Amino acid sequence: MSKFDLPRATRDFLPGETAARNLVRAAFVQSAEAYGFQEIQTPIFEHVELFSARSGPEIKSSMLTFHCDNEEFALRPEMTAPVCRLMSSGLLDLNHLPHKFSYFGPCFRYTRPQSGRYREFLQAGIECLGASGPEVDAEIIAASARTLSSLGIENFNLRIGNIGIFRDLMPDDFDVEEWATVIGHLDRLNGIHEKCRLLAERPDESLLSDLRIDRMELATLQEQTEYTGPYAIADASHLDVTQYASKIGAEAEATFRRLWEVEESIPAETAELLIQISRLRGPVQRVREEAFSLLRGSSSTAALENLFAVCEAVEMYGVDNLNVALGIARGFTFYTSTVFEITSGLADGDRLYCGGGRYDRLVELFGGPPMPSIGCAFRFDTLVEAFCNANAWEQSRPHEIFLLSETKEKLHHAVQFSEELRKCGLRVGVGVGKPTSNRVSDLATHKTDVLAYMGASDSLQLLYAEAEEKAPLDAASVSDRVKSFRNR
RNA sequence: GCUGGCGUAGCUCAGUUGGUUAGAGCGCUUGAUUGUGGAUCAAGAGGUCCCUGGUUCGACUCCAGGCGCCAGUACCA
């Protein structure tokens, strides 16, 4: 029972977990590098103003902040703002764009604990700053998908959308706040559609209770907007399970349609179009036809063409599991066109591995030059978990060989020899004892692959799991023996 | 912020409809035994039953408040 507790919503990682996390990190950095994304590092804390620039001062309450010398700092809650700051810092050569960066590091948010949400978490991502075009988007998307493959995670779902399709349908005088609200609604609608789709494929109690909560909230929204119509939830308060998947989607659509007309002054036909668009989802070829016939003559055709150009470019990389999902909104106002998500697929509850999109005006917002950019971030913890599930991951013992000296007087021989073995690249432990006691067998089980007993003679007795042999006191040959044991 | 669950040995947890001395498995310590991937046997240590107050002859148990943890929800730049 320790005198000190962990700060709320933080974690310790033991050697096995840490090793797995380091492997995932290494795989991430390596596959990013394979596409030319070079790793950068920025400070773990910055001036508070950097992070409130985009989101307003009230965001301060969800950051970990501190004062020093009359300055106020915040532990970074995200990596995008520092990267954009870097772009406008003058350190970078802006004549040779784009800059392709990867980043990896701890971020901090002062949030209520919730499963999978911690106050310190790792964020990993890649960004391509200063370039636009479908090929650029496709490269980011393909690189993200390859990162998952390189971790042995193969059964993922890739969904690509384009937020510009919605944006271009909005009235010209639509301001940022209204846009944020509508994006929130679209995101919500998409989520409900997604859950309904999952529920239709496999009954699941937790999905069902999620949807019940969604439905209650829809009912509240309907009440606020005085909705009356065929999908009034109050009129059909009870649904049996089989109706959930089929009916809630329509109820949600009706609710948001009404909401957009009443509270956002969106014309009825535009609201209808938003609903229709958000439904479109599936393989590229099929959705292409539906989407173009739906949006023919609208102001969104350019964004739509861009979306399918991105999909074509992604397909060149040979990425499977590609779907178009026009309903993806990703919940952030700063995305300007391409948005995408990679999830775990149905079997694992469709958990988010990675999400990102194009943000062509963000660098400017941070005081930099105009710079069309795209980036994405990984859910590192989800990635680690999936990695451990996908691979027969076993924690290694701290030592590959442990030298046991017969007596304390002879220990210096063992220590000297251990140093020679370490030069050969082995992980080596040293101790005193006979290879017979309980303590020693415990050691053998938990702490080392091979136990080596240095008795009276000038040779070593190597004790493996199910065999033993003599070996000369020669670092190179012992090292070879141990390594061949490890590899078999 | 809101809703629910939980808090007993180092760990995972049982238990007590309120009653003498607080339970198990694993782990730990010591010894014996077996030359070898780790057992077997014997003994032992280890507890403010989260805290504070209340009810009671008596509270780990019931009640109230607090703290902590977990899950869901709002939020999530």
Side-chain angles (χ1 to χ4, degrees):
Chain A
M1 207 172 281
S2 165
K3 189 175 169 185
F4 301 106
D5 293 327
L6 276 175
R8 175 188 287 245
T10 61
R11 296 169 286 177
D12 292 321
F13 295 103
L14 299 179
E17 299 164 292
T18 305
R21 292 165 71 83
N22 284 339
L23 280 175
V24 173
R25 183 206 170 131
F28 162 74
V29 171
Q30 198 183 1
S31 53
E33 277 176 355
Y35 290 83
F37 296 91
Q38 293 182 297
E39 188 173 7
I40 55 166
Q41 293 184 359
T42 65
I44 284 192
F45 64 92
E46 303 251 8
H47 293 289
V48 164
E49 295 76 33
L50 174 67
F51 300 113
S52 49
R54 169 157 46 125
S55 324
E58 65 279 4
I59 208 70
K60 216 180 98 178
S61 63
S62 49
M63 292 194 273
L64 285 100
T65 59
F66 59 97
H67 283 89
C68 262
D69 286 342
N70 295 320
E71 287 191 274
E72 191 174 21
F73 302 100
L75 297 177
R76 64 182 176 205
E78 44 135 351
M79 297 292 277
T80 312
V83 171
C84 290
R85 174 188 55 69
L86 182 63
M87 286 311 285
S88 38
S89 68
L91 279 179
L92 293 160
D93 178 1
L94 299 181
N95 293 317
H96 297 91
L97 294 172
H99 287 296
K100 289 158 68 177
F101 293 140
S102 79
Y103 56 82
F104 180 97
C107 294
F108 303 83
R109 291 183 189 179
Y110 189 75
T111 56
R112 286 267 146 203
Q114 213 169 103
S115 77
R117 193 195 285 185
Y118 297 91
R119 288 186 176 168
E120 179 183 8
F121 58 98
L122 285 170
Q123 208 170 70
I126 51 182
E127 318 267 349
C128 177
L129 301 118
S132 57
E135 325 75 44
V136 177
D137 298 10
E139 186 184 60
I140 287 264
I141 295 171
S144 307
R146 287 299 172 234
T147 298
L148 295 175
S149 306
S150 74
L151 289 167
I153 304 167
E154 296 289 356
N155 294 319
F156 54 82
N157 267 320
L158 171 58
R159 293 193 284 270
I160 306 179
N162 188 318
I163 196 75
I165 295 170
F166 291 120
R167 187 68 185 88
D168 292 346
L169 292 173
M170 292 297 129
D172 291 337
D173 59 350
F174 220 56
D175 68 27
V176 177
E177 302 254 316
E178 290 174 299
W179 179 225
T181 309
V182 173
I183 282 197
H185 294 160
L186 287 168
D187 212 29
R188 199 68 197 268
L189 182 60
N190 194 48
I192 290 173
H193 277 312
E194 206 62 48
K195 280 181 233 173
C196 289
R197 197 173 295 122
L198 287 173
L199 192 65
E201 293 196 21
R202 47 164 31 211
D204 180 296
E205 202 45 53
S206 71
L207 264 180
L208 205 60
S209 66
D210 264 18
L211 276 170
R212 275 198 198 98
I213 291 163
D214 283 330
R215 192 160 185 261
M216 275 164 55
E217 284 163 6
L218 288 174
T220 311
L221 289 174
Q222 288 190 350
E223 213 172 296
Q224 279 169 20
T225 56
E226 295 170 353
Y227 172 86
T228 52
Y231 296 106
I233 291 168
D235 296 344
S237 53
H238 182 75
L239 287 183
D240 58 47
V241 176
T242 51
Q243 287 175 303
Y244 260 84
S246 56
K247 195 152 180 210
I248 292 184
E251 287 173 344
E253 288 178 356
T255 307
F256 288 120
R257 196 185 280 122
R258 170 79 181 165
L259 202 57
W260 291 335
E261 286 181 50
V262 173
E263 295 195 347
E264 312 300 330
S265 314
I266 295 174
E269 61 271 26
T270 307
E272 182 55 31
L273 208 48
L274 294 181
I275 297 284
Q276 300 269 345
I277 293 168
S278 71
R279 277 187 203 153
L280 291 179
R281 182 190 187 282
V284 179
Q285 285 308 325
R286 179 165 63 73
V287 175
R288 184 201 302 263
E289 289 171 28
E290 292 173 9
F292 275 106
S293 73
L294 181 66
L295 290 170
R296 185 160 295 126
S298 80
S299 47
S300 292
T301 47
L304 196 60
E305 272 161 23
N306 183 267
L307 169 61
F308 286 102
V310 171
C311 290
E312 265 172 39
V314 170
E315 282 172 337
M316 289 194 297
Y317 285 89
V319 173
D320 300 328
N321 316 326
L322 173 58
N323 277 295
V324 179
L326 299 198
I328 296 180
R330 299 241 68 236
F332 303 120
T333 51
F334 59 82
Y335 287 128
T336 50
S337 70
T338 300
V339 284
F340 70 97
E341 293 174 342
I342 306 181
T343 61
S344 62
L346 290 181
D348 300 310
D350 219 33
R351 305 224 288 149
L352 188 67
Y353 288 139
C354 169
R358 178 160 281 285
Y359 47 91
D360 283 347
R361 286 192 283 276
L362 200 58
V363 176
E364 264 177 280
L365 186 74
F366 284 102
M371 191 164 304
S373 303
I374 183 168
C376 71
F378 289 83
R379 290 265 173 99
F380 189 73
D381 288 312
T382 311
L383 231 50
V384 171
E385 204 177 298
F387 167 77
C388 291
N389 291 338
N391 301 276
W393 161 249
E394 200 178 320
Q395 181 184 348
S396 59
R397 300 185 179 100
H399 308 113
E400 290 161 290
I401 182 167
F402 196 100
L403 301 180
L404 212 49
S405 169
E406 183 188 29
T407 63
K408 211 164 184 178
E409 288 65 40
K410 292 175 182 167
L411 181 62
H412 66 280
H413 293 305
V415 170
Q416 280 166 12
F417 189 55
S418 75
E419 285 290 85
E420 289 180 44
L421 289 174
R422 290 186 186 106
K423 284 180 195 155
C424 298
L426 288 182
R427 308 190 310 272
V428 192
V430 190
V432 177
K434 291 187 169 53
T436 48
S437 68
N438 276 338
R439 192 185 301 250
V440 168
S441 30
D442 187 63
L443 189 75
T445 311
H446 297 291
K447 304 291 188 195
T448 187
D449 296 333
V450 177
L451 193 60
Y453 183 55
M454 295 180 81
S457 69
D458 54 357
S459 72
L460 272 182
Q461 195 179 2
L462 299 183
L463 308 174
Y464 304 97
E466 64 292 302
E468 66 172 83
E469 64 183 64
K470 295 263 182 197
L473 220 51
D474 171 71
S477 67
V478 169
S479 167
D480 285 347
R481 291 300 302 135
V482 170
K483 284 174 183 166
S484 72
F485 166 74
R486 190 182 54 193
N487 291 332
R488 77 171 176 238

